[in-house]
Amino acid sequence: MGICIFTFLLPHLLHSTLRGVNLGGWLVIEGWIKPSLFDGIRNGDMLVQIKSVTLEKYVCAESGGGTDVSVTRDVASSWETFSVRCLPNLFLFNLVSAYDDLHFLFIQLWRVSESEFQFRTSQGQFLTCDGEGCVVSATAKSPSTPETFEIERNNDSRVHIKLKSGTYLQATLGNQLTSDYPGMPGWDDNAATFEMAIVANNLHGDYQLANGYGHERAKEVLKRHRNTFITIEDFNFLYRHGINTVRIPVGWWIAFDPDPPAPFIGGSLEALDNALSWAEAYNIKCIIDLHAAPGSQNGMEHSASRDGTTDWPASDYISQTLDVIDFLASRYAKHPALLGIELLNEPSAATVPLDILVPYYKQGYQIVRKYSPTAYVIVCQRIGNADPLELYQANIGLHNIVVDLHYYNLFDTFFVNMSTVDNILFIYKSREAQLQALNNANGPLVFIGEWVNEWNVTSGTQKDYQDFGGAQLEVYNAASFGWAYWTLKNDRKHWDFEWNIRNNYLQLVSFKKRWQVAFINIL
């Protein structure tokens, strides 16, 4: 038997170059941060399954588009699971289905009016029906009258789908979807009636909020949110607790304020102007972080993805993004509160190739330098299976370059069964080693741009959280550029920086010996 004792002594917490907090969920919406923003939306953004009540089979998008739509599946799984999302205009349905990793089909139900919709597949085809008696297929290249359908629903899960002419679609005994149901169906068990079962909610971002409410109502909701979620009093709070920097996520549509392209809502530019003024008043610096790029760089709600896809690598979107960086740099480069501009948040390693990302970063660096010789240019590590050293070897710029790493003991099965001790050991053994290596590398500064005092430990005590947070503070404080907590305010309390400080779960003050653990390894 052997016993190994690991003892960690936390010395006085040194004041890092940057002690920051993210203003997440403010100018870029993330529904999980403040779910009540979506409370007024009927039929928001959800996964559904549609089943014929007579055939007792599910509607299925065959072969990823380009052919007929059938009603053939006995069990709802891949192709039979559809996503209902808020897309163009007020709200609309996306029918999402994936046969396997090699076949993926989106059918997006785009709203035309309050009850009229158009369905589009991920390959770009629209569901079409030439008139009464037709078989519905996914073959149209662009939408017009034959691609426009009306959705009727009763008070439970049942729906009808019909053509503009008034003819209802039905599931035939031949397992086809056709437009030849005779007369007007009731809500009994008939061929034109389908059950729509909600499986799960999905994206809740700016796109879904704006389309879910419609322009005027969304404008009211977002104006109230932007005016109350973050105020000058929050900067007072941060200043009093030793925070010297805020990282402010913004969306690409800010460059088109006050009238951005539909469905996005203006007003974020005025809020950002206010934030920099408040920061200046409290001697706090600002990082403007392009969190949502045109087309979405990762398919997630915090990149304002329309439908979960990543279209940003297309050249037109990249050039549009560079124009946004030009707008932000030209407007704020000389502002005394500006510390730096982050060119893109969390590009996906799976869908954004390095040979596309690095040239974008190089061009973005040159644009910022056109307006400022000293502002920091921050480039974010790709999320997923990516090595941060890939950006150190990229020669993006000559000076004031920062690589942003996001450290979470979450979002990976690796952390699922970790105990309190395991999590803290990981911070010291793995994260500290990586930071030391990057600090010693001949390249950019290191920034832990997102981290949180939350984990997968479900029974953690206040002392456990204090120890976990203390370990992160000590290790991340050694990052050559500093760190920024995610996020200032959040309905999930352990993600909420203000709640952590007020309730003594996170301790920013200097302290001596903070934590010891004996790890017993029985050989």
Side-chain angles (χ1 to χ4, degrees):
M1 176 182 292
I3 299 178
C4 299
I5 306 295
F6 294 87
T7 302
F8 299 99
L9 303 178
L10 304 194
H12 287 283
L13 190 60
L14 301 177
H15 194 284
S16 66
T17 303
L18 183 157
R19 296 160 63 101
V21 171
N22 284 273
L23 305 186
W26 183 37
L27 303 185
V28 175
I29 296 300
E30 298 186 43
W32 68 279
I33 292 178
K34 191 175 177 61
S36 61
L37 287 174
F38 291 79
D39 283 351
I41 299 176
R42 180 175 182 247
N43 298 319
D45 163 58
M46 60 193 72
L47 292 176
V48 300
Q49 295 161 346
I50 300 175
K51 182 180 182 180
S52 166
V53 298
T54 54
L55 299 183
E56 295 188 348
K57 293 183 182 293
Y58 290 90
V59 175
C60 176
E62 299 282 0
S63 303
T67 185
D68 292 346
V69 175
S70 66
V71 189
T72 56
R73 295 299 194 268
D74 294 317
V75 178
S77 58
S78 55
W79 275 356
E80 299 77 44
T81 299
F82 304 100
S83 173
V84 181
R85 304 188 194 279
C86 304
L87 288 182
N89 300 320
L90 187 55
F91 72 86
L92 43 93
F93 302 93
N94 279 334
L95 305 184
V96 180
S97 128
Y99 182 70
D100 54 32
D101 290 339
L102 299 178
H103 300 84
F104 188 78
L105 172 63
F106 262 105
I107 302 178
Q108 303 164 354
L109 186 52
W110 289 8
R111 179 170 179 144
V112 177
S113 66
E114 186 173 354
S115 61
E116 293 177 330
F117 303 86
Q118 296 164 340
F119 300 77
R120 187 180 74 116
T121 72
S122 62
Q123 298 179 8
Q125 304 103 330
F126 288 82
L127 298 196
T128 185
C129 185
D130 290 330
E132 185 174 350
C134 80
V135 176
V136 177
S137 65
T139 55
K141 294 183 179 180
S142 60
S144 61
T145 300
E147 292 74 47
T148 302
F149 302 86
E150 184 174 345
I151 304 294
E152 295 178 346
R153 63 186 67 237
N154 69 348
N155 293 327
D156 54 28
S157 62
R158 294 194 169 194
V159 298
H160 296 149
I161 305 171
K162 67 179 181 179
L163 305 184
K164 286 179 66 66
S165 63
T167 303
Y168 287 88
L169 303 188
Q170 68 170 330
T172 70
L173 294 177
N175 301 104
Q176 293 180 314
L177 196 61
T178 62
S179 62
D180 53 3
Y181 184 83
M184 181 178 295
W187 294 107
D188 57 354
D189 293 348
N190 60 72
T193 298
F194 301 86
E195 292 180 350
M196 187 171 71
I198 297 172
V199 179
N201 286 340
N202 201 350
L203 298 182
H204 291 84
D206 282 88
Y207 206 105
Q208 291 76 29
L209 186 146
N211 282 284
Y213 282 114
H215 185 272
E216 292 306 314
R217 177 71 176 126
K219 187 175 181 180
E220 295 174 7
V221 170
L222 283 175
K223 181 178 181 179
R224 181 169 58 252
H225 175 65
R226 291 165 180 165
N227 289 343
T228 58
F229 192 63
I230 302 294
T231 70
I232 191 171
E233 291 304 316
D234 295 304
F235 284 79
N236 182 303
F237 172 84
L238 293 173
Y239 170 78
R240 288 187 287 107
H241 289 88
I243 296 301
N244 58 29
T245 306
V246 290
R247 180 174 177 256
I248 310 175
V250 300
W252 62 269
W253 54 92
I254 196 172
F256 300 89
D257 224 282
D259 297 307
F264 296 100
I265 305 299
S268 59
L269 185 61
E270 179 183 3
L272 182 60
D273 286 344
N274 289 338
L276 268 78
S277 297
W278 300 336
E280 182 182 5
Y282 284 100
N283 198 29
I284 292 174
K285 296 298 182 181
C286 297
I287 294 169
I288 300 175
D289 155 43
L290 185 58
H291 219 68
S296 176
Q297 71 276 15
N298 55 35
M300 300 181 186
E301 67 183 31
H302 61 244
S303 63
S305 177
R306 183 178 74 178
D307 53 22
T309 58
T310 304
D311 294 327
W312 179 80
S315 58
D316 287 348
Y317 285 130
I318 292 174
S319 63
Q320 291 173 32
T321 309
L322 291 169
D323 289 341
V324 176
I325 297 300
D326 191 284
F327 170 82
L328 293 171
S330 63
R331 186 178 182 90
Y332 296 109
K334 305 303 181 184
H335 197 291
L338 182 73
L339 180 65
I341 293 177
E342 185 154 357
L343 300 179
L344 190 65
N345 176 70
E346 293 187 346
S348 168
T351 52
V352 179
L354 195 62
D355 60 0
I356 288 179
L357 181 64
V358 168
Y360 165 74
Y361 278 159
K362 290 182 177 180
Q363 290 176 276
Y365 172 86
Q366 294 298 330
I367 289 173
V368 175
R369 286 289 164 263
K370 181 173 65 173
Y371 296 102
S372 172
T374 58
Y376 287 94
V377 179
I378 302 168
V379 295
C380 191
Q381 178 192 14
R382 294 189 296 169
I383 56 171
N385 187 19
D387 185 346
L389 282 174
E390 67 188 18
L391 296 181
Y392 279 77
Q393 300 161 354
N395 299 316
I396 292 168
L398 296 177
H399 65 284
N400 283 8
I401 286 284
V402 179
V403 170
D404 179 5
L405 311 180
H406 295 174
Y407 280 165
Y408 291 101
N409 283 27
L410 294 159
F411 312 127
D412 193 304
T413 55
F414 177 79
F415 298 106
V416 169
N417 295 316
M418 278 191 175
S419 65
T420 297
V421 170
D422 294 334
N423 275 278
I424 296 174
L425 283 173
F426 181 82
I427 298 296
Y428 280 107
K429 295 170 66 176
S430 297
R431 295 268 165 76
E432 187 170 41
Q434 184 180 66
L435 277 177
Q436 288 174 348
L438 295 176
N439 280 338
N440 294 331
N442 183 21
L445 298 171
V446 185
F447 177 39
I448 311 305
E450 293 185 17
W451 65 277
V452 66
N453 196 29
E454 185 60 294
W455 48 9
N456 283 319
V457 176
T458 58
S459 58
T461 66
Q462 182 183 40
K463 177 66 162 52
D464 291 335
Y465 277 98
Q466 290 172 343
D467 292 340
F468 180 57
Q472 292 188 93
L473 284 167
E474 186 198 13
V475 171
Y476 304 163
N477 213 55
S480 53
F481 191 68
W483 51 261
Y485 188 91
W486 185 271
T487 181
L488 176 59
K489 295 182 178 181
N490 198 307
D491 276 15
R492 302 186 187 188
K493 60 185 180 182
H494 292 295
W495 292 77
D496 186 304
F497 178 81
E498 183 176 356
W499 183 92
N500 274 271
I501 296 299
R502 294 191 188 279
N503 291 278
N504 201 33
Y505 274 67
L506 193 63
Q507 301 170 321
L508 298 181
V509 297
S510 297
F511 53 90
K512 296 183 179 180
K513 177 178 177 181
R514 181 73 201 103
W515 186 73
Q516 285 187 331
V517 61
F519 175 71
I520 301 177
N521 180 25
I522 301 177
L523 301 178

